[in-house]
Amino acid sequence: MDRPIVDARGLHKHFGALHVLKGVDLRVAERELVFVIGPSGSGKSTLLRCLNRLEEPSAGSVVVDGIDMLDPRTDINHARQRIGMVFQSFNLYPHMTALGNVTLALRKVAGRSRADADALGHAALERVGLADRAGHTPGQLSGGQQQRVAIARAIALEPRVMLFDEPTSALDPELVGSVLGVMRSLRESGMTMIVVSHEMGFARNAADRVAFMDEGAIVEEGPPAAIFERPAHERTRAFIGQIQRH
Amino acid sequence: MSGSRWDRFAETFLNTKVMHKYLPDILSGMVVTIELALLIVATGLVAGLALALLRSLGFRPLNWLIVFVVDLFRSLPPLVVIVLIYFGLPAVNVSPSGFASTWLSLALVLMAFSEEIFWAGITSVAKGQWEAARSTGLSFGQTLMSVVLPQALRLTIPPLTNRTIAITKGTALGTVVAVTEILGQASSAMSNSYNPSPLMMGAAAYLVLFFPVVVAARYVETRFAWKR
């Protein structure tokens, strides 16, 4: 990989006495979709959150789209516009409409006029199939719709990379499909994506690469077929066996 | 018989002649009470919000100071604060008027209580709200002002209106330091007329002032309650 768009090396993270990341390397190429799987507590979410510095790594380096994220001289607020993030619990602003959620950063961070931001916001909602819900508040939307608004909020800023932190884990099963559908169309548009999720079916179909994490380290990674059919490590085999029994 | 008893009661507490004579005094007392109340509410709430925002910066030594000041004014009875300022400050060559002492004291007390209420509101906003906003590039200040504070303020409205009304009614304590607000006017009218009817007028004046405020607060509380 000559010019990875995400280049994280030797990441360590301690929470007090807890050593959550133990030297993780993750390189992601442009337009690549990387799936990160692993048991809960293995450090997947922490890894994602270190990439946009929602979590401060204890050691290591993170370079995204050529920007050194950990350099104190980096304008982190500016850099974060290039890295969209979608959370398990949606985290929409409950006091704003769907459009308000999508346009806030466009106005405050990207410096767009209200008219500009509204036009971009409508376009982003259109992309997630919610053009007709622009005036609804989160409380008036289903979980699946809320998560799609959250995706629209992130893609409206035209990020170079999207991070998904268990985007469907809080959804009722019948609502998962609509969110995965939006993720699939994002993928087809060429978005670089790093996805932490237990949606193994989606991983098989859409991922270029699957990384299996356990106890703060990437145990093995490879194309989905290899990881799912012929895992090299015992721990990967055990995890995949458990997941597929359900 | 009962008729004469009622007459005696009316003569004592609802004496129209006395009431007519002292109505202008009570009305001027109402003006002073309104002025005092507005000043206390405006400065107390602004100062309380400012302290809560400063506290959210998470600067330890500053937070210890804020918590100390807030706890101090939450523990002291408002009357004690008024008396301390009115009779104590002249010792350092500052002689605030009774009006200024009452304003300052109750504003400090309201500041202390409202800081705690605003702070509770700010901390009760889910951490995910901060993370979502910061992940889109909003700064700490932008997140606080556009995302966290609007949600926090809605949560704080019921306790805040209650506390504000309770402290604002404390303007009556100004009587002790010769403020000519409603109660002050009513008690001097009572002394001058040897009749407690002015007190009844005073009570009526407080009702006229605060009853609409209480009703309005109830309306605001329901209006701004919202479901997630």
Side-chain angles (χ1 to χ4, degrees):
Chain A
M1 200 180 299
D2 30 286
R3 283 210 49 207
I5 190 160
V6 173
D7 192 349
R9 296 175 191 228
L11 282 183
H12 284 265
K13 177 66 189 177
H14 298 267
F15 290 111
L18 214 58
H19 198 173
V20 180
L21 294 182
K22 300 170 181 166
V24 175
D25 293 309
L26 182 68
R27 245 146 284 166
V28 179
E30 208 158 331
R31 305 173 79 87
E32 199 181 12
L33 193 164
V34 175
F35 236 78
V36 182
I37 61 172
S40 66
S42 58
K44 308 175 301 273
S45 292
T46 307
L47 170 61
L48 273 198
R49 295 157 58 85
C50 282
L51 299 180
N52 65 354
R53 241 177 89 189
L54 277 187
E55 237 34 282
E56 202 75 40
S58 312
S61 69
V62 177
V63 177
V64 178
D65 198 21
I67 299 172
D68 182 349
M69 296 296 288
L70 305 184
D71 187 334
R73 286 165 301 180
T74 298
D75 178 350
I76 189 69
N77 297 326
H78 191 261
R80 278 177 178 152
Q81 284 184 78
R82 299 165 186 244
I83 311 171
M85 188 161 196
V86 173
F87 301 84
Q88 178 176 353
S89 49
F90 327 139
N91 298 348
L92 291 183
Y93 316 134
H95 59 301
M96 295 181 185
T97 61
L99 186 64
N101 268 273
V102 177
T103 55
L104 181 68
L106 284 169
R107 290 190 289 118
K108 302 273 179 188
V109 186
R112 302 282 188 165
S113 69
R114 183 175 281 277
D116 260 13
D118 282 355
L120 291 168
H122 277 294
L125 287 172
E126 180 96 56
R127 280 182 75 183
V128 300
L130 291 173
D132 56 335
R133 296 286 189 276
H136 288 52
T137 57
Q140 298 167 317
L141 299 172
S142 73
Q145 290 172 331
Q146 289 189 53
Q147 192 59 300
R148 282 146 69 197
V149 172
I151 294 173
R153 174 171 68 183
I155 63 175
L157 293 160
E158 299 184 354
R160 300 296 312 277
V161 186
M162 284 284 291
L163 311 176
F164 290 85
D165 190 0
E166 307 209 14
T168 57
S169 301
L171 294 175
D172 291 335
E174 75 271 21
L175 301 175
V176 169
S178 68
V179 171
L180 293 183
V182 167
M183 289 171 68
R184 191 166 284 121
S185 79
L186 256 187
R187 156 110 188 104
E188 280 156 11
S189 73
M191 178 67 76
T192 308
M193 294 160 71
I194 305 176
V195 182
V196 169
S197 166
H198 296 295
E199 298 292 340
M200 296 303 157
F202 185 72
R204 262 172 215 274
N205 295 330
D208 297 299
R209 189 149 53 101
V210 176
F212 171 70
M213 270 186 91
D214 194 22
E215 294 181 357
I218 293 180
V219 176
E220 66 174 300
E221 53 182 316
I227 296 289
F228 289 123
E229 314 305 337
R230 305 175 298 279
H233 281 260
E234 181 50 42
R235 280 188 285 172
T236 319
R237 232 186 321 257
F239 177 74
I240 287 169
Q242 264 174 349
I243 290 277
Q244 286 175 340
R245 223 175 298 136
H246 297 299
Chain B
M1 275 310 275
S2 70
S4 77
R5 263 209 212 141
W6 166 253
D7 288 343
R8 228 173 328 145
F9 176 84
E11 167 80 18
T12 313
F13 290 100
L14 300 165
N15 188 313
T16 43
K17 234 192 300 175
V18 174
M19 286 175 127
H20 186 72
K21 182 173 174 201
Y22 290 102
L23 181 63
D25 290 358
I26 299 291
L27 288 177
S28 87
M30 277 177 87
V31 173
V32 175
T33 295
I34 292 170
E35 285 171 354
L36 203 45
L38 290 178
L39 284 170
I40 290 164
V41 170
T43 52
L45 291 182
V46 166
L49 182 58
L51 283 191
L53 292 177
L54 279 178
R55 192 170 166 188
S56 71
L57 296 176
F59 185 55
R60 281 270 179 84
L62 181 65
N63 286 5
W64 290 331
L65 185 69
I66 291 171
V67 169
F68 173 75
V69 169
V70 161
D71 286 353
L72 186 73
F73 285 107
R74 291 200 305 160
S75 328
L76 286 170
L79 182 57
V80 173
V81 182
I82 293 174
V83 169
L84 277 176
I85 287 180
Y86 186 72
F87 295 106
L89 282 187
V92 290
N93 285 326
V94 184
S95 301
S97 65
F99 184 92
S101 303
T102 309
W103 168 19
L104 185 61
S105 306
L106 295 180
L108 285 170
V109 173
L110 181 57
M111 170 192 81
F113 279 101
S114 65
E115 188 280 336
E116 280 300 296
I117 293 168
F118 285 130
W119 176 246
I122 289 171
T123 52
S124 70
V125 173
K127 196 161 155 266
Q129 294 288 310
W130 284 97
E131 292 180 345
R134 295 308 303 272
S135 80
T136 60
L138 262 68
S139 67
F140 175 88
Q142 287 172 326
T143 304
L144 183 62
M145 298 312 269
S146 300
V147 174
V148 175
L149 206 53
Q151 299 180 52
L153 290 183
R154 288 195 180 200
L155 296 170
T156 58
I157 283 171
L160 203 58
T161 48
N162 271 328
R163 189 50 79 170
T164 303
I165 291 165
I167 292 172
T168 312
K169 283 188 300 189
T171 48
L173 296 170
T175 321
V176 173
V177 290
V179 179
T180 53
E181 47 70 65
I182 296 173
L183 183 61
Q185 292 286 12
S187 23
S188 57
M190 186 168 71
S191 317
N192 294 337
S193 64
Y194 304 107
N195 182 292
S197 297
L199 265 189
M200 301 299 280
M201 295 169 78
Y206 279 115
L207 275 183
V208 167
L209 281 189
F210 284 101
F211 199 73
V213 175
V214 172
V215 172
R218 190 180 293 283
Y219 170 76
V220 169
E221 283 162 22
T222 33
R223 170 74 181 71
F224 283 97
W226 93 117
K227 293 181 201 125
R228 267 168 206 274

